[in-house]
Amino acid sequence: MDIRYKSTRNSSDETVSSSYAILKGLADDGGLYVPVSFPKLDKTIEELSQMTYQEIAYEVMKLFLTDFTEEELRYCISHAYDEKFDVDSIAALTKADDTYFLELFHGRTIAFKDHALSILPYLLTTAARKNNVKNQIVILTATSGDTGKAALAGFADVEGTKIIVFYPKDGVSPVQEKQMVTQKGDNTFVVGIHGNFDDAQTGVKKMFGDRKLSEELDENGFQFSSANSINIGRLVPQVVYYVFAYAMLVKNGEIKAGDKINVTVPTGNFGNILASYYAKQIGLPIEKFICASNKNNVLTDFFGTGTYDRNREFFVTSSPSMDILVSSNLERLIYLICGSDADKTRDFMKSLEKDGTYTITDSMRAGLSEFFARFASEEETLGAIHDLYEKTGYVIDTHTAVGAAVYKKYRNETGDKTPTVIASTASPFKFARSVMTAIKGDVSSFSELELIDMLSQVSQREEPPAVIELKNAPIRHKTQCDVSDMEKTVKTWLGIK
Ligand SMILES: *Cc1c(COP(=O)(O)O)cnc(C)c1O
């Protein structure tokens, strides 16, 4: 079956191929590309449970990316999921306190975004070739911390591409910042902006939507594409690990094929949890989607009331990759629950852009019944790290801890004992100070490096290669700019007057 894509904001019959959607990132009308219909898994769970991560990746991705040949897809997969990951299984499932932590942090930047961003450069360059693109692809990215580094690592020195990353200068962890500003590669450019993540994301979206700018780029032999989680080429690879997790549960005898599971996902831009929702659409038996937020609880309120309202205080928390007030990928869910009505979706999004808020209808709210959304305070987050460590010796990072804390609320409120997979989105080594504070109390007298050593001891895990490398890496990127100067900064770097 050929799967075509359309923009969430385009009510015409116009559709595009998967490779074109990947190449564009965002549609010209500002909408997000969504599949016109959902394919179905054509392998049984028993078959999938015998497969490697790479084989499952092929089985899932071939369903969505139907204009890629088998050879192209297998090439992309084998180059993405290789020894860059520090476990042969690529992802790992660890049982602790009767739940399953799906460890998605074994890649180069020790956060789950590696799963999508290791393969996106291959998908994108393949897509460019398929669509006869002659321009250089300029990846324009806003990051709350983890996307930036994962995208930089993925695209560094990939021929035919350049990558520019904007991050909030004071809104990422020291390790996240160091990871980015030490990035190698002649085609990479990292800029700290004087603003928060939403400012960075809005600035990037504005450049994408700017026709005049895109003409200027074209005249100079460039075109933009996106490595942000709005790109369908990031979403599809994320569906893979939910199928993988389910297959592992069956393989390990924890559940039987066909049994229902829940997933808990620490959520920011709504990409990861949406991928789990897409996994259900293709046939994976997921019962509940537990959407975990930190103190920036705009999604909790949305699921509770039907009103999305970004007009609120923004908090910097110990889970910075979830410090987000505008969750871009929610647009894809809105589109589905309003019956794939692009006009309605566009109206909601225009209202969000203009007034910072919109309210969905009651019938749309009924479409959200599979979701359970709560948030965890800072205290509850650190408490979840502490309690899990005391009980089991297993150490989780602050983002995963938001998930664990919210899952606990779910269990207390519902009594539901369905086996649950918690997406473990980052390695604790990435947030050593917060994690060690949770475990040991006041650690303010220790340096970041000392804390990493201490963490290695308490967790009985070796320091990941990504952390060791960082210790001596020289700083290569020092550019900063105001939000209003983002476009100028891009043009200057590309040599466009
Ligand atoms: C990006 C990120 C998240 C949020 O994921 P979304 O797909 O944006 O919802 C959660 N945890 C970590 C560690 C991240 O890097």
Side-chain angles (χ1 to χ4, degrees):
M1 187 169 56
D2 186 25
I3 302 291
R4 304 281 298 175
Y5 289 79
K6 68 184 301 280
S7 161
T8 47
R9 299 187 196 179
N10 182 352
S11 52
S12 79
D13 291 335
E14 191 185 324
T15 63
V16 301
S17 67
S18 57
S19 68
Y20 186 83
I22 289 173
L23 203 52
K24 287 286 291 180
L26 198 65
D28 282 335
D29 54 24
L32 275 54
Y33 285 111
V34 284
V36 170
S37 61
F38 280 96
K40 291 278 176 253
L41 279 167
D42 58 11
K43 291 287 185 300
T44 64
I45 297 294
E46 284 80 4
E47 287 170 315
L48 291 165
S49 69
Q50 301 302 315
M51 291 184 187
T52 63
Y53 190 93
Q54 292 86 345
E55 287 164 344
I56 293 174
Y58 175 70
E59 293 304 327
V60 171
M61 291 176 61
K62 75 169 191 199
L63 300 174
F64 284 99
L65 309 183
T66 48
D67 73 320
F68 286 68
T69 65
E70 171 165 1
E71 193 189 349
E72 285 167 342
L73 268 187
R74 290 206 191 270
Y75 171 87
C76 293
I77 290 166
S78 66
H79 283 75
Y81 305 120
D82 59 10
E83 23 339 301
K84 289 194 279 297
F85 286 76
D86 65 16
V87 292
D88 290 340
S89 55
I90 306 299
L93 201 61
T94 298
K95 188 173 183 179
D97 196 21
D98 267 344
T99 43
Y100 304 92
F101 289 85
L102 175 60
E103 296 181 359
L104 301 170
F105 53 74
H106 292 285
R108 226 162 12 187
T109 75
I110 58 177
F112 86 93
K113 294 188 175 73
D114 288 325
H115 284 262
L117 285 163
S118 301
I119 195 162
L120 185 65
Y122 294 101
L123 295 175
L124 201 59
T125 46
T126 305
R129 203 170 52 241
K130 296 175 82 67
N131 289 276
N132 295 316
V133 169
K134 300 285 183 289
N135 284 336
Q136 276 214 37
I137 308 278
V138 179
I139 304 295
L140 191 59
T141 292
T143 185
S144 56
D146 288 330
T147 295
K149 178 61 186 186
L152 287 162
F155 281 95
D157 291 327
V158 171
E159 213 174 303
T161 71
K162 285 178 174 289
I163 173 162
I164 309 178
V165 169
F166 291 98
Y167 72 96
K169 181 75 187 88
D170 299 316
V172 300
S173 83
V175 173
Q176 287 177 317
E177 179 169 39
K178 181 122 198 244
Q179 280 189 321
M180 288 190 278
V181 297
T182 55
Q183 178 63 45
K184 295 187 199 133
D186 291 337
N187 62 340
T188 64
F189 188 43
V190 179
V191 184
I193 64 149
H194 308 132
N196 62 32
F197 170 69
D198 287 309
D199 297 327
Q201 176 154 269
T202 307
V204 161
K205 273 194 156 181
K206 216 165 94 194
M207 282 188 263
F208 273 116
D210 187 336
R211 290 258 159 95
K212 190 170 148 279
L213 179 62
S214 98
E215 279 165 21
E216 279 179 76
L217 281 169
D218 192 49
E219 283 162 19
N220 288 276
F222 298 113
Q223 73 187 61
F224 283 142
S225 188
S226 168
N228 274 94
S229 60
I230 49 168
N231 194 316
I232 195 79
R234 268 190 67 181
L235 205 50
V236 170
Q238 294 185 179
V239 178
V240 172
Y241 48 71
Y242 290 104
V243 177
F244 171 82
Y246 193 92
M248 290 282 282
L249 287 172
V250 172
K251 185 179 182 177
N252 297 345
E254 301 286 343
I255 60 170
K256 290 194 303 295
D259 286 355
K260 294 209 181 316
I261 63 164
N262 297 331
V263 295
T264 301
V265 186
T267 296
N269 227 350
F270 209 75
N272 201 1
I273 194 165
L274 186 76
S276 70
Y277 191 73
Y278 275 24
K280 179 168 187 173
Q281 310 310 308
I282 66 169
L284 206 66
I286 303 177
E287 181 82 350
K288 280 280 178 201
F289 301 89
I290 300 164
C291 175
S293 300
N294 65 22
K295 202 175 164 192
N296 295 294
N297 58 356
V298 61
L299 285 169
T300 313
D301 288 349
F302 169 71
F303 282 101
T305 65
T307 295
Y308 195 98
D309 188 358
R310 64 152 301 173
N311 303 309
R312 60 179 69 214
E313 194 181 341
F314 176 85
F315 300 104
V316 173
T317 72
S318 60
S319 46
S321 301
M322 297 159 63
D323 290 344
I324 289 176
L325 294 182
V326 181
S327 299
S328 299
N329 267 296
L330 188 64
E331 181 168 344
R332 288 187 164 112
L333 183 66
I334 297 290
Y335 176 81
L336 284 175
I337 59 169
C338 70
S340 304
D341 186 330
D343 290 330
K344 267 194 199 155
T345 308
R346 190 178 52 239
D347 288 346
F348 289 127
M349 295 307 135
K350 289 289 169 208
S351 160
L352 181 64
E353 276 162 31
K354 195 164 148 281
D355 307 320
T357 180
Y358 61 87
T359 301
I360 61 172
T361 62
D362 285 345
S363 70
M364 285 172 70
R365 279 189 74 183
L368 299 177
S369 60
E370 296 153 291
F371 287 84
F372 175 95
R374 293 290 184 278
F375 74 99
S377 67
E378 286 291 275
E379 202 181 339
E380 288 167 333
T381 302
L382 296 193
I385 297 173
H386 182 266
D387 293 352
L388 187 66
Y389 174 71
E390 289 296 324
K391 198 166 171 187
T392 68
Y394 185 58
V395 180
I396 54 177
D397 96 294
T398 46
H399 301 75
T400 309
V402 170
V406 167
Y407 176 59
K408 198 167 135 200
K409 295 186 186 194
Y410 175 80
R411 280 286 287 260
N412 288 344
E413 284 182 40
T414 64
D416 179 17
K417 293 200 173 66
T418 304
T420 296
V421 169
I422 299 181
S424 187
T425 52
S427 160
F429 284 96
K430 207 159 184 174
F431 303 94
R433 184 168 298 277
S434 300
V435 171
M436 287 311 298
T437 304
I439 292 174
K440 290 265 192 245
D442 184 9
V443 292
S444 54
S445 61
F446 295 97
S447 72
E448 200 70 28
L449 293 182
E450 286 168 332
L451 290 169
I452 286 170
D453 285 339
M454 285 162 70
L455 180 55
S456 177
Q457 278 166 25
V458 302
S459 66
Q460 299 187 357
R461 285 205 186 202
E462 281 175 29
E463 291 174 28
V467 171
I468 296 167
E469 264 172 37
L470 214 56
K471 289 183 175 169
N472 303 313
I475 307 241
R476 299 185 71 250
H477 302 273
K478 292 184 181 146
T479 308
Q480 294 183 26
C481 83
D482 288 334
V483 177
S484 55
D485 285 338
M486 287 170 65
E487 181 179 328
K488 206 169 90 195
T489 307
V490 170
K491 281 180 161 178
T492 306
W493 185 58
L494 293 176
I496 299 175
K497 287 202 205 66

